[in-house]
Amino acid sequence: MPADRFSTATRLKALGEQAAARVYRARPPRRNRLTGRAALLALVMCSLVVALAYPIRQYVSQRSDIADQRRRAQDAGAALDRLREQKARWQDPAYVRQQARRHLHYVMPGEAGYIVPDGSGTVSAPKGAQAAQRPWYENLWNAVDTADAADKR
């Protein structure tokens, strides 16, 4: 038996490398992935995105406007219900009497009406009985003189 220089595993490995080299030589060179069709498809997709962007934006805007108008319609309906309810209350004579007493300070015949000052207004009465006996223009002139004297200080 001749002594073989290489073992079987080494021979198989060398054969595999030779076969792989033949396969790689037989393969055509790798082309660019971006073909003319792919470029045309990308161009069409980009143009569709650009062409549809504005109408989609308008659609979304109009949907929000519609929702806003529906909310306003609901608010107007609620206000209408409140006004109808108020109109029905004003048809009742007892409610009208109550409002006249509260806001216009009306009293029924035989009742005594009182107004209690709450301290929010300032009422200045003429000072002393002497001011009531003088004519109004003298009181006015005295008030002007008093104001001038206060400004000179």
Side-chain angles (χ1 to χ4, degrees):
M1 263 185 133
D4 213 0
R5 212 171 125 176
F6 298 107
S7 68
T8 308
T10 308
R11 281 188 200 161
L12 285 176
K13 185 176 177 185
L15 284 175
E17 288 172 357
Q18 290 171 0
R22 275 186 254 133
V23 168
Y24 283 125
R25 272 182 278 158
R27 230 185 226 176
R30 193 174 218 176
R31 293 186 346 190
N32 191 0
R33 288 183 185 248
L34 186 64
T35 63
R37 284 185 183 173
L40 182 65
L41 180 64
L43 181 66
V44 167
M45 293 299 290
C46 288
S47 63
L48 281 175
V49 166
V50 169
L52 293 177
Y54 183 74
I56 289 174
R57 186 176 138 253
Q58 288 293 339
Y59 174 76
V60 170
S61 173
Q62 288 173 358
R63 294 296 293 176
S64 68
D65 289 345
I66 289 170
D68 191 35
Q69 291 294 330
R70 284 186 179 151
R71 183 186 49 77
R72 286 184 188 171
Q74 284 180 341
D75 292 346
L80 180 65
D81 290 341
R82 283 193 307 271
L83 289 173
R84 283 185 178 150
E85 193 176 293
Q86 188 176 11
K87 180 183 175 187
R89 279 187 295 193
W90 280 102
Q91 299 298 323
D92 183 18
Y95 182 75
V96 173
R97 259 187 253 115
Q98 176 194 18
Q99 294 302 313
R101 285 172 169 262
R102 178 179 295 157
H103 296 290
L104 303 176
H105 305 293
Y106 280 12
V107 292
M108 298 300 288
E111 292 179 352
Y114 296 99
I115 296 178
V116 179
D118 60 354
S120 62
T122 57
V123 179
S124 60
K127 297 177 182 167
Q130 193 178 37
Q133 293 173 354
R134 289 186 297 201
W136 64 270
Y137 51 86
E138 284 185 21
N139 290 334
L140 178 67
W141 191 252
N142 285 337
V144 170
D145 284 340
T146 306
D148 283 341
D151 286 339
K152 290 180 183 177
R153 289 183 201 169

